[in-house]
Amino acid sequence: MLASERKSLVIDLDAAAATVRDGMTIAIGGFINSSHPMALVRQIIRRGVKNLTVVGAASGGLDLDLLIAAGCVKKLVTTYMGGEHYCPVAPFFRVAAQRGELDIFECDEGMFYCALRAAAQRLPSTPWKAGIGTSFPQINPEIKVYNDPVSGEPMLAIPAIKPAIALIYAAQSDAYGNVQHVSTGFGDRAMWRAADKTIAQVERIVPNEEIRKNPLATSLVGVDAVVRAPYGSHPFAGPGYYIEDSDHIREYVAAGNAYAKSGDRKPFEQYLKKYILDPPTYEDYLEVVGIKRLLQLHEY
Amino acid sequence: MLASERKSLVIDLDAAAATVRDGMTIAIGGFINSSHPMALVRQIIRRGVKNLTVVGAASGGLDLDLLIAAGCVKKLVTTYMGGEHYCPVAPFFRVAAQRGELDIFECDEGMFYCALRAAAQRLPSTPWKAGIGTSFPQINPEIKVYNDPVSGEPMLAIPAIKPAIALIYAAQSDAYGNVQHVSTGFGDRAMWRAADKTIAQVERIVPNEEIRKNPLATSLVGVDAVVRAPYGSHPFAGPGYYIEDSDHIREYVAAGNAYAKSGDRKPFEQYLKKYILDPPTYEDYLEVVGIKRLLQLHEY
Amino acid sequence: MTPEPNFTVKELMASFISHQVRDGERVAVGAGLHVPRAGILLAHLLRCPNVRLYVVMTFTSLLKEPRMEPFYTVYDNRPTKWAEGYVLHDDFQEDPRLVSDTFVVGALQIDKFGNSNLIGVGKDYKHLQFRGPGAVGTLSMAHYVDRYYLFVQSHDKRIFVDKCDFISTVGWGEGGADGRSKLGIPGNGPVYCVTPLCVFDFDETSKRMRLKSLHPGVTVEQVIENTGFEVIVPANVPTTAAPTDDELETLRGRIDVEGMLRR
Amino acid sequence: MTPEPNFTVKELMASFISHQVRDGERVAVGAGLHVPRAGILLAHLLRCPNVRLYVVMTFTSLLKEPRMEPFYTVYDNRPTKWAEGYVLHDDFQEDPRLVSDTFVVGALQIDKFGNSNLIGVGKDYKHLQFRGPGAVGTLSMAHYVDRYYLFVQSHDKRIFVDKCDFISTVGWGEGGADGRSKLGIPGNGPVYCVTPLCVFDFDETSKRMRLKSLHPGVTVEQVIENTGFEVIVPANVPTTAAPTDDELETLRGRIDVEGMLRR
């Protein structure tokens, strides 16, 4: 009598998005205009989730700005909020921050990973030296200055930040949660280690045998659930598959700038309706974008 | 006018061993009976280097015991000193420790990597929680108990240990120090990060183009020098190439046990003469072992 | 007289350990200890298809493997052929719980509260009577895992002592249900101690070691005689459950093909 | 009248930056800043064959690459085709010096001691006049590298201020040769500040910003007028060295093929 087969961890998009509930701390992987689990992000917006603490990527980007614009975010943990050459500062972030409407855990990339590592290591804080002499201990009162017990020198204690759920975008996974990124995976591993649970949104689900052909490429060895969503990082890049959709990003930035510059939320409301609220399913979103456009975004 | 070609980092075995000088702190990679840079270790013994602080692998093994037996070691930083099923406790280590002749930085694997990470991160110490309630803070006075600045709870501060040189065994490298291990590389990356300089002893030197075919396999992206020594982990395993030489390890353990049990150093002196002091070169060592024996050790 | 059992004590211990594994967990297979290794693999093949096995710094599933090729060490490269992914040795310090949810700890000495010692025997650390191999990773693993198990290959008064000369891994500290929490140590600590004579558990209130079951043919007196602290002995001590035929078949046919547990 | 130079100010700045790179170093190529990126690649191709370039989280050498395919971002996957090895983004926190020995820092504000600000402009952090993008990794990189360079794409009194509203990256703190060491900050801090008008260095004693060279056609008065703090002006201020023909040829033919620096 042998054990039954391994259980598939593949779930559907809405079931995955439904794990994110009001007030939770979640992490969202990727890097600036690449590798964000956008199918999940849009579904979270559709579900009207509120008061999230979002541990954005180091560095974050317009994926987080969209969540702020849609009213989902209470607190943000990130080191950079921009769209690189598309926009120097993310527009809704900028306005919300200037109005004091957003709690910000102000940090740089070193501190960001300190906070995630502390969570992964089950430590209350980890030390960092860089930041002494800057404004960070003043503008982020969660960071404590103390003296190192060995050398006596002043240090910063960066508190642990533990996401309940990490939402990660990657190229592929098997049904058992062995995830493989194309190329680096940026800082996604750090989020996976820190979070209680990780959901991977992938371009393809492949047989376990495919994963075993190159186990060195397995970047997250065992996530908790897997969601299939081809073109799922759109409008951002999906490494190995497609580059970012410049036109779409410019459309979003224009809508954001209209709000940031003149307080006009209408262009964003139109964007929100067209791309997120109206399309009943994820596939319908892709229909709105159009297969022709999607096929133009090939990486090479 | 273009820049000249890249400079080769390949050096010979004796030049590499000569960088290790009396009183230095060095790290030696590998794991128990696998992946130790033994050609370098033997050359260090031949050169009569003294008073080393050796940051042995976590977990260390008979490679370190040999250095202790040969009188090179003043202080040891390791978590385990044994040969697994060949011997539960490394013999010369055991005697030296029991006589109080060896300084030991007593730690477990978690603390070991804390010390290396602190060095890599240029921090005076990093925190660890495991160890509270044990004898470690008493038997290792370099570890300090303090209260976490965020939570107030008692923590251990593990001081940074920075090797001047890390000696690493790996499968291959190009001439520019891009090193690729077969399989995991155990904790070698942590030593590379912590050390001021790293020397990789490899089975093969391959063209840069070979490295670029699988950059994900590059485990140490840029060491400071590369030494070629085929069968260079013998008598220990070289992953992807050969398994450990059980007979040779048993010969060493028997010599060690003769000393540990009855104080008879003669069998070890014979071992030392036969395998290390008499063979004028590294290739001569392999001749003493014999090509027939070496070819029997293939991994599959 | 009881008939001679059709299994060895090692097979019995492996069977007992196999029932401690829970499906879906990450479980480190410390290959050096053959009995716990066999127990974990047995659980995987018979009851826990979804455990993630940590084998020689890789994670894998071995459900489809007809026979576990022999691997006696934690450093042997050959089992990496089964890898689904790598977790480097130093990664364990980044997140101990990503390596294993449970663990097996061996020891030179174990005291009545399940504290254990791999450092050495003797009163003076600088002049030990017997220097042990060191803590390896037991200290950190036992601290962070959900729960762990003590396992020894022999049962005598040198191992089971009233007080360890040194503590490398905390069990229940100085005892009591809050023995760990008052030190700020997470997890459920040692659950059982498995020996060639018996299985101990821990009294719920005092967290002192208590006889849970006797292996076939072993008497309470034998345990008491060979244990250096006072053992709590309940009124009725059952016999450790014998491995089932299924278990023996799987152990002998697929896991312990070379018969390490039958010697 | 001086003849019109045969190069742009961006090319001039790239040439200047290229001379700051030392062979054998690790150098992060922050692709978003085109001018420093071009300068680093120029150094690599002409003088520094042994730098290890950190490009989109890979390390590489580009000596054999006839033309740098356009990459405008730090997230574009395409440059990973050149990889010799990966260093993940979070690895930078494990060892900042394995990523880069030197760095280029941009800013919203820079003060006379080379402290800089990417957080925002305004007195009240909770109600900023202008919220910046955040520190990215500049704080930690600038702390750990051997030395770094400030670089701005425009030169005016909004950027060059007497005192930053917030400091995200320490330059020389409150000044003085011990401005960094008394805070316990390692490294040699900011060495030069490169602007479209000039290059600043730092007075050895006060560590206040000092005019080092003027770009062709720029006057001392122009710099003073557009700088919000008192600039130290030496008796003789040379003109920033023009890019050589070799440099321009390599820049235009192999690095800046699309002419980003000529616009």
Side-chain angles (χ1 to χ4, degrees):
Chain A
M1 199 190 69
L2 294 181
S4 55
E5 286 298 295
R6 293 170 89 175
K7 199 168 58 189
S8 168
L9 300 173
V10 178
I11 61 175
D12 72 31
L13 192 61
D14 196 56
T19 61
V20 175
R21 294 186 305 273
D22 287 1
M24 258 190 181
T25 296
I26 64 165
I28 296 180
F31 190 68
I32 311 185
N33 294 319
S34 181
S35 306
H36 301 302
M38 292 308 294
L40 283 166
V41 166
R42 282 187 294 267
Q43 194 65 11
I44 287 166
I45 292 172
R46 283 170 61 83
R47 295 182 64 89
V49 181
K50 300 285 172 214
N51 293 318
L52 294 174
T53 292
V54 181
V55 182
S59 296
L62 299 174
D63 57 323
L64 308 181
D65 200 59
L66 177 63
L67 279 168
I68 294 168
C72 305
V73 183
K74 184 175 182 294
K75 182 176 176 181
L76 197 62
V77 178
T78 185
T79 68
Y80 168 85
M81 280 295 291
E84 234 199 9
H85 54 295
Y86 296 107
C87 69
V89 187
F92 288 95
F93 162 77
R94 206 183 105 193
V95 174
Q98 287 170 187
R99 290 191 185 152
E101 292 171 358
L102 191 66
D103 291 344
I104 300 171
F105 183 95
E106 193 84 38
C107 60
D108 102 316
E109 291 170 354
M111 296 164 166
F112 180 88
Y113 289 118
C114 281
L116 288 182
R117 171 165 286 144
Q121 291 181 312
R122 275 78 173 166
L123 300 173
S125 72
T126 56
W128 199 235
K129 182 72 186 172
I132 292 282
T134 70
S135 304
F136 280 82
Q138 284 80 54
I139 62 182
N140 184 344
E142 294 184 59
I143 295 173
K144 304 294 177 197
V145 182
Y146 72 108
N147 295 318
D148 179 80
V150 171
S151 71
E153 63 187 294
M155 302 293 298
L156 302 180
I158 316 295
I161 296 178
K162 190 164 195 56
I165 301 175
L167 305 175
I168 300 295
Y169 167 86
Q172 60 186 35
S173 173
D174 65 9
Y176 315 120
N178 293 303
V179 174
Q180 299 187 330
H181 285 74
V182 165
S183 298
T184 79
F186 304 113
D188 288 358
R189 278 176 187 80
M191 292 184 170
W192 167 63
R193 289 189 186 112
D196 284 329
K197 300 276 175 198
T198 295
I199 300 175
Q201 180 205 295
V202 297
E203 292 289 328
R204 306 191 323 141
I205 294 172
V206 298
N208 176 254
E209 288 77 4
E210 278 297 306
I211 297 292
R212 289 187 180 223
K213 283 179 189 168
N214 189 12
L216 209 55
T218 306
S219 40
L220 313 182
V221 192
V223 297
D224 302 278
V226 179
V227 175
R228 175 176 173 267
Y231 290 102
S233 179
H234 183 274
F236 305 111
Y241 288 83
Y242 44 91
I243 59 171
E244 79 269 24
D245 187 341
S246 301
D247 291 351
H248 190 110
I249 292 174
R250 287 199 187 93
E251 187 181 340
Y252 175 82
V253 169
N257 285 345
Y259 177 66
K261 281 171 189 156
S262 58
D264 179 9
R265 235 186 106 89
K266 241 181 261 147
F268 173 73
E269 295 296 344
Q270 281 161 6
Y271 175 94
L272 189 66
K273 185 172 176 333
K274 178 177 175 192
Y275 291 112
I276 301 180
L277 301 182
D278 276 0
T281 70
Y282 161 67
E283 292 86 347
D284 291 301
Y285 167 83
L286 296 181
E287 290 280 16
V288 174
V289 173
I291 187 75
K292 282 189 186 168
R293 180 61 185 153
L294 291 173
L295 293 180
Q296 284 164 359
L297 303 173
H298 57 96
E299 195 178 88
Y300 279 94
Chain B
M1 198 189 71
L2 294 182
S4 54
E5 286 299 294
R6 294 171 87 176
K7 200 169 58 191
S8 168
L9 300 173
V10 178
I11 61 175
D12 73 29
L13 191 61
D14 196 57
T19 62
V20 176
R21 294 185 305 273
D22 287 1
M24 259 189 181
T25 296
I26 65 167
I28 296 179
F31 190 69
I32 311 185
N33 294 319
S34 180
S35 306
H36 301 301
M38 292 307 295
L40 283 167
V41 166
R42 281 186 295 266
Q43 194 65 10
I44 288 167
I45 293 172
R46 282 170 61 83
R47 295 181 65 89
V49 181
K50 301 284 172 216
N51 292 318
L52 294 175
T53 292
V54 181
V55 182
S59 297
L62 299 174
D63 56 322
L64 308 181
D65 200 60
L66 177 62
L67 278 169
I68 295 168
C72 305
V73 183
K74 181 174 183 293
K75 181 176 175 180
L76 198 62
V77 179
T78 186
T79 68
Y80 168 85
M81 280 294 292
E84 234 200 9
H85 54 295
Y86 297 106
C87 68
V89 186
F92 287 95
F93 162 77
R94 207 183 104 193
V95 174
Q98 287 170 186
R99 289 190 186 152
E101 292 171 357
L102 190 66
D103 291 343
I104 301 171
F105 183 94
E106 193 84 38
C107 60
D108 101 317
E109 290 171 355
M111 297 164 165
F112 180 88
Y113 289 118
C114 281
L116 288 182
R117 169 164 287 144
Q121 291 181 311
R122 273 79 173 165
L123 299 173
S125 72
T126 55
W128 199 237
K129 182 72 186 173
I132 293 282
T134 70
S135 305
F136 281 82
Q138 284 80 54
I139 62 182
N140 184 344
E142 294 184 58
I143 295 173
K144 304 293 177 197
V145 182
Y146 73 109
N147 294 318
D148 180 79
V150 171
S151 71
E153 64 188 292
M155 303 293 298
L156 302 180
I158 315 296
I161 295 178
K162 191 164 195 55
I165 302 175
L167 305 175
I168 300 295
Y169 168 86
Q172 60 184 35
S173 173
D174 66 9
Y176 314 120
N178 293 303
V179 174
Q180 299 187 329
H181 285 76
V182 165
S183 299
T184 79
F186 305 112
D188 287 359
R189 278 175 188 80
M191 291 183 171
W192 167 62
R193 288 190 187 112
D196 283 331
K197 299 275 176 199
T198 295
I199 300 174
Q201 180 204 295
V202 296
E203 293 289 328
R204 306 191 323 141
I205 294 173
V206 299
N208 177 255
E209 288 77 4
E210 277 298 305
I211 296 294
R212 289 188 181 223
K213 283 179 189 168
N214 189 11
L216 210 55
T218 306
S219 41
L220 313 182
V221 192
V223 297
D224 301 279
V226 179
V227 175
R228 176 177 171 268
Y231 290 102
S233 180
H234 183 274
F236 305 110
Y241 288 82
Y242 45 90
I243 58 171
E244 79 269 24
D245 186 341
S246 302
D247 291 351
H248 190 110
I249 292 175
R250 288 200 186 92
E251 187 180 340
Y252 174 82
V253 169
N257 285 345
Y259 177 66
K261 280 171 190 157
S262 57
D264 178 10
R265 235 185 106 90
K266 240 182 259 147
F268 173 74
E269 295 295 344
Q270 282 161 4
Y271 176 94
L272 189 67
K273 185 172 179 327
K274 177 178 175 191
Y275 291 112
I276 302 181
L277 302 181
D278 276 0
T281 70
Y282 162 66
E283 293 86 347
D284 291 301
Y285 167 83
L286 295 181
E287 290 280 15
V288 174
V289 173
I291 188 73
K292 281 189 186 168
R293 180 61 186 154
L294 291 172
L295 293 180
Q296 284 163 359
L297 302 172
H298 57 96
E299 196 177 87
Y300 278 94
Chain C
M1 225 181 116
T2 341
E4 192 68 16
N6 66 338
F7 50 83
T8 66
V9 172
K10 287 181 182 169
E11 288 174 329
L12 176 79
M13 293 192 286
S15 165
F16 181 86
I17 287 169
S18 83
H19 288 275
Q20 310 316 316
V21 177
R22 297 178 195 160
D23 198 20
E25 288 186 321
R26 292 169 185 267
V27 188
V29 181
L33 295 170
H34 301 309
V35 170
R37 170 173 73 94
I40 291 163
L41 294 175
L42 184 60
H44 177 49
L45 295 182
L46 290 188
R47 294 186 304 103
C48 304
N50 300 296
V51 295
R52 293 186 189 276
L53 297 170
Y54 186 60
V55 176
V56 195
M57 289 150 216
T58 71
F59 273 104
T60 191
S61 162
L62 293 175
L63 287 185
K64 293 182 178 173
E65 210 53 36
R67 296 183 349 168
M68 313 297 120
E69 292 288 328
F71 60 105
Y72 300 127
T73 74
V74 284
Y75 58 81
D76 191 338
N77 188 54
R78 288 169 291 184
T80 64
K81 67 187 172 190
W82 296 315
E84 293 182 345
Y86 290 97
V87 170
L88 304 183
H89 195 240
D90 54 310
D91 283 341
F92 130 82
Q93 184 239 9
E94 296 228 25
D95 185 354
R97 285 297 288 279
L98 274 184
V99 169
S100 200
D101 287 307
T102 182
F103 203 63
V104 177
V105 175
L108 300 171
Q109 294 180 322
I110 297 174
D111 74 16
K112 59 182 174 294
F113 297 123
N115 304 302
S116 58
N117 172 14
L118 278 165
I119 296 164
V121 175
K123 295 302 160 196
D124 176 1
Y125 172 71
K126 288 282 178 192
H127 295 89
L128 295 167
Q129 287 167 253
F130 182 83
R131 167 70 217 198
V136 208
T138 56
L139 182 161
S140 295
M141 289 306 300
H143 179 95
Y144 285 110
V145 291
D146 174 65
R147 64 199 189 282
Y148 71 91
Y149 302 90
L150 292 159
F151 171 81
V152 289
Q153 316 228 39
S154 55
H155 188 141
D156 59 46
K157 288 187 170 179
R158 285 183 310 170
I159 291 177
F160 290 101
V161 295
D162 194 58
K163 208 169 155 43
C164 293
D165 292 335
F166 303 93
I167 295 175
S168 54
T169 298
V170 182
W172 290 99
E174 300 187 15
D178 62 350
R180 291 174 68 83
S181 60
K182 74 182 169 196
L183 292 169
I185 302 174
N188 297 302
V191 178
Y192 299 126
C193 176
V194 182
T195 90
L197 295 184
C198 64
V199 177
F200 293 117
D201 63 4
F202 293 84
D203 175 74
E204 289 72 14
T205 311
S206 68
K207 290 296 178 187
R208 274 179 50 209
M209 250 190 231
R210 178 173 67 187
L211 195 53
K212 174 188 155 59
S213 68
L214 289 163
H215 299 342
V218 178
T219 63
V220 170
E221 290 65 34
Q222 257 180 291
V223 171
I224 290 174
E225 269 167 35
N226 287 287
T227 305
F229 53 77
E230 195 190 330
V231 179
I232 300 177
V233 182
N236 292 306
V237 182
T239 301
T240 310
T244 65
D245 289 345
D246 267 355
E247 288 176 347
L248 288 174
E249 191 187 321
T250 304
L251 264 182
R252 292 171 186 175
R254 291 181 69 192
I255 297 169
D256 180 36
V257 181
E258 299 206 2
M260 309 276 289
L261 271 50
R262 279 166 274 162
R263 285 194 277 267
Chain D
M1 226 180 113
T2 341
E4 194 67 16
N6 66 337
F7 52 83
T8 66
V9 171
K10 286 181 183 169
E11 289 175 328
L12 177 79
M13 292 192 288
S15 165
F16 181 86
I17 288 169
S18 83
H19 289 276
Q20 310 317 316
V21 177
R22 298 178 194 159
D23 198 21
E25 287 185 321
R26 292 168 186 268
V27 187
V29 180
L33 296 170
H34 301 310
V35 171
R37 170 173 73 94
I40 291 162
L41 294 175
L42 185 60
H44 176 49
L45 294 182
L46 290 187
R47 295 184 305 102
C48 304
N50 300 296
V51 295
R52 292 185 190 277
L53 297 170
Y54 185 59
V55 176
V56 196
M57 290 149 217
T58 71
F59 273 104
T60 190
S61 163
L62 293 175
L63 287 186
K64 294 182 178 174
E65 209 53 37
R67 296 182 349 166
M68 312 297 120
E69 292 288 328
F71 61 106
Y72 301 127
T73 75
V74 284
Y75 57 81
D76 192 338
N77 187 54
R78 288 170 292 183
T80 63
K81 66 187 172 189
W82 296 315
E84 293 182 343
Y86 290 98
V87 169
L88 304 183
H89 195 240
D90 55 308
D91 283 341
F92 130 81
Q93 184 238 10
E94 296 228 27
D95 185 353
R97 285 299 287 279
L98 273 184
V99 169
S100 200
D101 287 308
T102 182
F103 204 63
V104 177
V105 174
L108 299 171
Q109 295 180 322
I110 297 175
D111 74 17
K112 59 183 176 291
F113 297 123
N115 304 302
S116 58
N117 172 14
L118 278 165
I119 295 164
V121 174
K123 295 300 162 200
D124 177 1
Y125 173 70
K126 288 284 177 190
H127 295 89
L128 294 167
Q129 288 168 253
F130 181 83
R131 168 70 218 199
V136 209
T138 56
L139 182 162
S140 295
M141 288 307 300
H143 179 97
Y144 286 109
V145 290
D146 174 64
R147 65 200 186 280
Y148 71 91
Y149 302 91
L150 291 160
F151 172 81
V152 288
Q153 317 228 36
S154 55
H155 188 141
D156 59 45
K157 287 186 170 180
R158 285 183 310 170
I159 291 178
F160 290 100
V161 295
D162 194 58
K163 207 168 155 46
C164 292
D165 292 335
F166 302 94
I167 294 175
S168 54
T169 298
V170 182
W172 290 99
E174 301 187 13
D178 62 349
R180 291 175 67 83
S181 61
K182 72 183 169 196
L183 292 168
I185 303 175
N188 298 301
V191 177
Y192 298 128
C193 176
V194 182
T195 90
L197 296 184
C198 65
V199 177
F200 293 116
D201 63 4
F202 293 84
D203 175 76
E204 290 71 14
T205 311
S206 67
K207 290 297 178 186
R208 274 179 49 210
M209 249 191 233
R210 179 173 66 187
L211 194 54
K212 176 188 156 59
S213 68
L214 289 163
H215 297 343
V218 179
T219 63
V220 169
E221 290 66 33
Q222 256 180 291
V223 171
I224 290 173
E225 269 167 35
N226 288 287
T227 304
F229 53 78
E230 195 191 330
V231 180
I232 300 177
V233 182
N236 292 305
V237 181
T239 302
T240 310
T244 66
D245 290 344
D246 268 355
E247 287 177 349
L248 287 174
E249 189 188 320
T250 304
L251 262 182
R252 292 171 185 175
R254 292 182 67 191
I255 295 169
D256 179 35
V257 182
E258 299 205 1
M260 309 277 289
L261 270 51
R262 278 165 277 162
R263 286 195 277 269

